[in-house]
Amino acid sequence: MAQDVEMRTVSGEGQGRTYAVISTAAAGKYMDLEKLIAEGHDVNEADERGLTAAHQAAFYRRHEALGELIRLGANLNAQDNDGWTPLMTAASTGDSVIVQQLLDGNAHPLIQSKERYMAHSYAKFGQYPELAHRIANVALERAIALADFFSIFYLLEDGADVNTQTLPGATALIVAAHAGQTEVVRRLLTVPNIHPDFQEKDGWTALMFAAYSGNVDIVYMLLDHGIDLGVQNVQGMTALDVAKQFNQAEVAHILEQRSVQVMQYQAHAAAERAREEVAAQEYAHQAYLHAQAEAQAAAQRQTEEQLAQQQAAQQAQRANAAHKSNNAGAGTSAAGPNTAKAAPTEPAKKSSFFGW
């Protein structure tokens, strides 16, 4: 899509035509727009490419100009020659402020270009994933409100949140159940992370709407998906109550049977949990006793080791004392008492070697 904007004239009947509103919006001269409209210019004038002032304000990110165009009644869903709307243009630029202005001004996010893409796709192509997700969820809200199931699945495949709710709180599943769209419900229940128990503003769930209309197939599908039978609407009614009140005997019978099964299952599960808790408590008690016994045995071993160490120390002390005593006795016996007198020695004789 050609997005460049310039002051252009298109010849017609020999006279040049100026796109004053378009060029003024593109330039951001928002204060001049009201005067131009008052002078008779068309707020929705389009050039030869089908571009309007709203397209150009979105492309050039002229927030004030776009706000003024919205106030003056500009068509925010006008499509150019390629099928692009101002919202697609804003999405491609990644300007979240412009996008919000357009959405608040009732720009339609479900419109497709000639390439069969919606606005959120152009945000995705422009590498603006958060903006793409935001636009897709708004588009999904619109699709849900319109019961446009083709667009719903188109958007879900593109990453929109399956649990998106409209202002009255309806989800795609609630709308499909209310409309009796069995195959749509079947497909929606295969979408990851779907929450079948979501409630709209009056507290009604998809199961309640199916019970109200007596759609047995949808009731079975929702039950097989594990929907909560105990959910109540603002009047305190469950799906079973709804079926009874609106004389849907077959659905009421199905829900009663399932309620009994659920209660039996819950009772069995509760008993099993109780047994597991008792077993866990017994195991914990036995583990406690075992730990106590181990602690006592360890304490006993420690006491015995300390006693053995004390006895060994005492024996060592006694042995050392005995050794010292024995050594002292042996020394006294070897020397004996020094009481004997020394024997007299003979006087030395002089040597006669020298003739003395």
Side-chain angles (χ1 to χ4, degrees):
M1 173 185 175
Q3 289 284 7
D4 57 306
V5 180
E6 57 186 350
M7 191 70 172
R8 291 167 295 174
T9 60
V10 178
S11 60
E13 298 180 352
Q15 295 181 348
R17 179 182 172 188
T18 302
Y19 299 109
V21 177
I22 294 175
S23 59
T24 300
K29 299 178 181 179
Y30 65 96
M31 290 185 291
D32 296 336
L33 289 171
E34 185 174 11
K35 180 181 177 182
L36 289 172
I37 303 306
E39 291 174 352
H41 292 273
D42 184 2
V43 71
N44 293 314
E45 67 180 9
D47 66 13
E48 69 275 11
R49 294 170 297 179
L51 298 172
T52 66
H55 283 95
Q56 307 300 38
F59 178 72
Y60 282 106
R61 307 187 183 199
R62 306 300 191 187
H63 302 161
E64 295 86 356
L66 180 60
E68 187 67 5
L69 289 169
I70 293 172
R71 189 184 70 81
L72 293 170
N75 178 13
L76 302 183
N77 296 314
Q79 294 178 270
D80 67 9
N81 296 347
D82 295 317
W84 279 48
T85 63
L87 182 60
M88 294 175 188
T89 302
S92 71
T93 67
D95 192 318
S96 60
V97 175
I98 292 285
V99 165
Q100 193 60 52
Q101 282 182 284
L102 290 165
L103 291 174
D104 290 343
N106 206 31
H108 205 317
L110 293 175
I111 295 174
Q112 294 185 352
S113 68
K114 288 185 177 180
E115 299 171 305
R116 308 299 294 173
Y117 292 120
M118 296 181 186
H120 73 278
S121 297
Y122 291 105
K124 184 168 65 174
F125 298 154
Q127 303 298 314
Y128 306 112
E130 292 183 3
L131 184 60
H133 187 68
R134 177 172 147 202
I135 298 172
N137 284 342
V138 174
L140 183 57
E141 288 181 31
R142 301 284 178 88
I144 292 170
L146 296 170
D148 181 355
F149 297 111
F150 175 82
S151 295
I152 285 172
F153 284 108
Y154 176 96
L155 291 161
L156 290 177
E157 289 173 0
D158 246 8
D161 184 357
V162 68
N163 299 307
T164 295
Q165 293 179 281
T166 63
L167 286 178
T171 64
L173 183 63
I174 288 174
V175 171
H178 183 263
Q181 294 286 334
T182 304
E183 187 55 34
V184 173
V185 170
R186 190 189 314 278
R187 288 183 62 188
L188 286 171
L189 289 175
T190 65
V191 178
N193 302 317
I194 189 169
H195 297 300
D197 292 319
F198 268 28
Q199 298 172 271
E200 47 83 80
K201 64 181 179 63
D202 293 321
W204 281 56
T205 63
L207 182 61
M208 291 178 189
F209 281 111
Y212 166 79
S213 61
N215 194 311
V216 173
D217 290 336
I218 292 179
V219 167
Y220 271 125
M221 281 189 284
L222 292 169
L223 290 175
D224 291 342
H225 203 76
I227 197 166
D228 187 354
L229 291 171
V231 175
Q232 297 180 344
N233 61 22
V234 294
Q235 296 174 316
M237 299 174 65
T238 64
L240 176 58
D241 297 328
V242 171
K244 288 180 177 179
Q245 179 169 337
F246 292 96
N247 300 316
Q248 300 294 349
E250 185 177 4
V251 172
H253 179 67
I254 293 169
L255 293 176
E256 284 176 339
Q257 283 188 321
R258 185 58 63 93
S259 295
V260 171
Q261 292 173 356
V262 169
M263 286 189 291
Q264 289 175 341
Y265 172 79
Q266 290 175 341
H268 175 75
E272 187 63 27
R273 285 195 300 271
R275 283 194 293 270
E276 290 175 354
E277 288 175 2
V278 170
Q281 290 174 356
E282 179 61 24
Y283 176 81
H285 180 64
Q286 292 298 327
Y288 171 74
L289 294 178
H290 178 72
Q292 270 195 329
E294 286 290 325
Q296 291 174 353
Q300 181 64 29
R301 286 194 298 271
Q302 185 178 12
T303 301
E304 291 174 353
E305 289 174 0
Q306 290 175 347
L307 181 60
Q309 290 173 356
Q310 291 174 356
Q311 291 175 345
Q314 291 173 355
Q315 289 176 355
Q317 288 176 353
R318 287 195 295 269
N320 187 39
H323 179 70
K324 288 181 178 180
S325 176
N326 291 337
N327 286 343
T332 302
S333 300
N338 191 15
T339 56
K341 293 182 178 179
T345 58
E346 295 180 1
K349 295 180 178 181
K350 292 184 179 180
S351 174
S352 60
F353 182 76
F354 294 103
W356 292 351

